[in-house]
Amino acid sequence: MNRHASLGTAAAPAPVQRGWQRYFDDPTPLMKQGPTAIAVGLAGLLVVFVPGIQAINPPATIVGVVLVGLVTVLAALLAARGIHDGWVVLIIPAVDIVAIGALRVGTGGTASLFSSFVLLPVIWLAASPGLRPVFAIGALTSIAFLMPIALDPQAGELAWLRGVISPLVFAVVGAIVNELSRLQRLRTAQAEALVDERTEALSANLSMVQQLQASEKQYRFLLDSFSSLWNSITAQAVIATDPRGMVIAWNPGAERLIGLSVDEALDDVRVNRFFDPAALGQFADPSTPRSPEDPTGMRALLDEVDAGRTVEADVDMTTAGGSVVPVRLTLSLYQGAAGEQRGYLLVITDETKAVEVARLKDEFVGMISHELRTPLSAIIGFLDLLQNDPENPLTDEQQDFVAVIERNAKRLLNLVGDLLFTAQAESGRFPLEKEDADLGALVRAAVESSGPNAQKNGVELIMDVPSDPIHLIVDAGRIGQAVDNLLSNAIKFTPSGGRVTTRLEKLDGEVRICIEDTGLGIPEEEQGMLFTRFFRASTATRNAVPGVGLGLTITRAIVLAHGGTMSMHSEVGKGTEFWFTLPMAPRTEVLRLSGLSQG
C-alpha cells in the first residue's frame, strides 16, 4: 500500500518537470537576460552599500546600470509577445556588453571588479546561429575593454596590450561556443527529425492497423452478406464450375431444382450431365466430332463464353430424378478478384410456368383471331356490299355513315392485327418470308407512301438514299412495315413546318436506316420504356397525338428477328432520331440464341 503511494507521489511531478523542460528547451529573451540583469543589479548594490567598492566615475556607472535595465525591460516585452529570435533579440546582449564596459569605466577601469560580467552576454550572443555574432563579440568586447583604457591618461602599454588580448580571447571563446551551439542545434534537429519520422511511421502503422481492422470487419460483413444471399437464392439454380466443367459451388436453388444435395453435387459431378444433347447440339459446329467426355456438346457453349460473350439460351434440363424441365440458361465467366478465369457461372431459371403462360397466350391469340378478326372481316365485307349494291343505292348521307363505320372497323382490324403480331413476336413464333430485296427501293417506297400524310400535316420529307441498289436477304414486307412505323411516328410528333429526314447508309458489314425529325422530343427518363407495349410518352399524351403504343414494339421485334439492332436519341423540344441496323450476312448464331424462327 505504501509502495503504491510512494510510487504515485514520485510520478506526480513529471508533468511539472515536462513544463519546465519546455521553457529550458526554448528560453525566452527575459530568461537569457536574467543572469546579466541580476549580476549588474548586484554590482550596483555593492557599489552603493559596500564602502570598499567605490564608483570613481558615477555617471558611467549609472549609464551602465540604466542601459542593462532598459534592455531587460525590452527582453520582458519581447518575451510577452512570444518573440524569441531575430535581430531585435540580439540587440539585448550587444547593449549588455557595451553597458558592462561603461560599468567598468565607473568602477575602476582596468582594475574593475566587474570585468568578468562580460562573459554572460558574450555566451548568449555566441550561441546564436551564424558567424556574424562571433565578429560582433570581437568588436563589442573591444569597445568594453578599450573604453576604460582610452579614458585613463595614465594607462600604460601593458594595459593596452590587455585591452587588445582580452577581446581576442572572448572572440575565441565565442567561436567555440558558437560551434558547439551549431553542433547541438544540428543534433537536436536530427533528433527531432528522427522523432518526427518515427512518429509518422507509428501513425502510419496505427492507420494501417485501423484500415486492416476496418477491412477485416468489411470482409466479414461481405462474407456474411454473401452467405446469406447465396443461401437465400432458391428460385434459381446458381452453379459454379472449374474450367473443365466440374461443379465447385452449388446453391440451395440448384439443390431444389435439380434434386442433388451440395455434397452429392461436389462429388466429381460434371455439369453437362444435366442437359439434353439435342438441346445443346444447336451450339456445336456440325463438322466437329464430339468428345467422349462431352457427349452433350456443352463444350460449344463454354467456347462461346471463353470468347467473351454471355450466353443465354432456352434449353431442356434433366434433373437427378430423370424428369425434363424447360429452363433458361445463362452462362458467363467466373473470374477472380484479379480478373483471372476460375471457371464458369451458370444461372438456371425454371421456365415451366413461362412455357405454360406461352401456351395460354397462344390459345388466347387463337381465340382473338377467331372471335375478333372473323366478325370484323364480315362487317367490312357487308359494308362493301352496302356501298356497291346497284339495286339499293345509298344516299350521300348514308355513304358518309358507312364510310365512318368502315374506317373504324378497319382501324379496329389493324389494331387486332398489331396485337396478334406483338403476341407472336414475344413468343418468338411469327414467320419471316425472307427473299433478296433492294433495301433502297423499300425505303423510297415507304417515304413516297408517307408523302400525303406529311403534306396534310405540313411536314417536309427529306430522303437521303443511295441510287445504287443495296441487296439483303430480308422479309421485305416486315422491313417496309418497320420503316412505315418510324415514319408515321416521326410525322405525328412533328409540328407543322418541321421536317423528317430518312437516311439509308451502308456501313462496315451492315446497313443502317435512320429516321430523324424536328418534333416534340421524348423526356430522357421515359426513353427506356419506349419499346414497352402500350407505353406512350408524356409529350404524346400532353399534345393529344393519336396512337396506342404498339408501333415501336413491333418495329423492334422485326429488327431483332432479322439479327439487327435498334436505338434512338431524343431531346425535348429539338427532335428525335431512331435508327436500326441490319447485318449484310445473316447472323445465324444470334437468331439461334434468340429462339426466333426462320421464315
Side-chain angles (χ1 to χ4, degrees), residues 437-457:
D438 178 9
L439 214 58
L442 291 178
V443 173
R444 281 190 289 270
V447 173
E448 290 174 3
S449 64
S450 299
N453 188 26
Q455 186 177 5
K456 175 184 175 183
N457 288 275

Side-chain angles (χ1 to χ4, degrees), residues 358-503:
R359 185 187 64 80
L360 294 175
K361 184 186 293 185
D362 289 342
E363 291 182 358
F364 176 74
V365 168
M367 183 270 293
I368 289 289
S369 177
H370 178 72
E371 299 296 334
L372 291 179
R373 294 192 61 149
T374 302
L376 284 172
S377 299
I379 291 172
I380 293 173
F382 278 105
L383 287 175
D384 185 62
L385 290 176
L386 283 174
Q387 289 175 319
N388 299 291
D389 186 1
E391 297 181 359
N392 298 295
L394 300 178
T395 64
D396 292 341
E397 183 179 11
Q398 290 173 336
Q399 287 283 1
D400 292 338
F401 291 158
V402 170
V404 170
I405 296 172
E406 183 180 25
R407 183 169 63 252
N408 284 279
K410 289 182 177 179
R411 180 181 177 187
L412 184 58
L413 184 62
N414 290 335
L415 180 59
V416 171
D418 289 343
L419 286 172
L420 290 172
F421 184 86
T422 54
Q424 291 172 341
E426 285 189 353
S427 63
R429 293 180 175 85
F430 71 89
L432 291 177
E433 299 178 359
K434 289 189 173 183
E435 59 183 0
D436 182 47
D438 178 9
L439 214 58
L442 291 178
V443 173
R444 281 190 289 270
V447 173
E448 290 174 3
S449 64
S450 299
N453 188 26
Q455 186 177 5
K456 175 184 175 183
N457 288 275
V459 176
E460 178 186 5
L461 289 182
I462 301 174
M463 183 169 54
D464 182 9
V465 178
S467 57
D468 295 335
I470 300 177
H471 289 277
L472 268 74
I473 304 298
V474 296
D475 186 327
R478 294 299 188 190
I479 295 298
Q481 181 183 4
V483 179
D484 287 339
N485 286 343
L486 294 179
L487 280 170
S488 175
N489 281 347
I491 294 170
K492 285 192 299 184
F493 283 88
T494 302
S496 178
R499 65 180 181 275
V500 174
T501 303
T502 303
R503 289 190 297 273

Side-chain angles (χ1 to χ4, degrees), residues 87 148 256-257 572:
W87 64 269
R256 182 190 63 83
L257 179 60
V572 176

Side-chain angles (χ1 to χ4, degrees), residues 3-21:
R3 286 182 60 195
H4 293 175
S6 63
L7 288 174
T9 305
V16 178
Q17 293 175 1
R18 286 194 294 269
W20 281 107
Q21 184 68 33

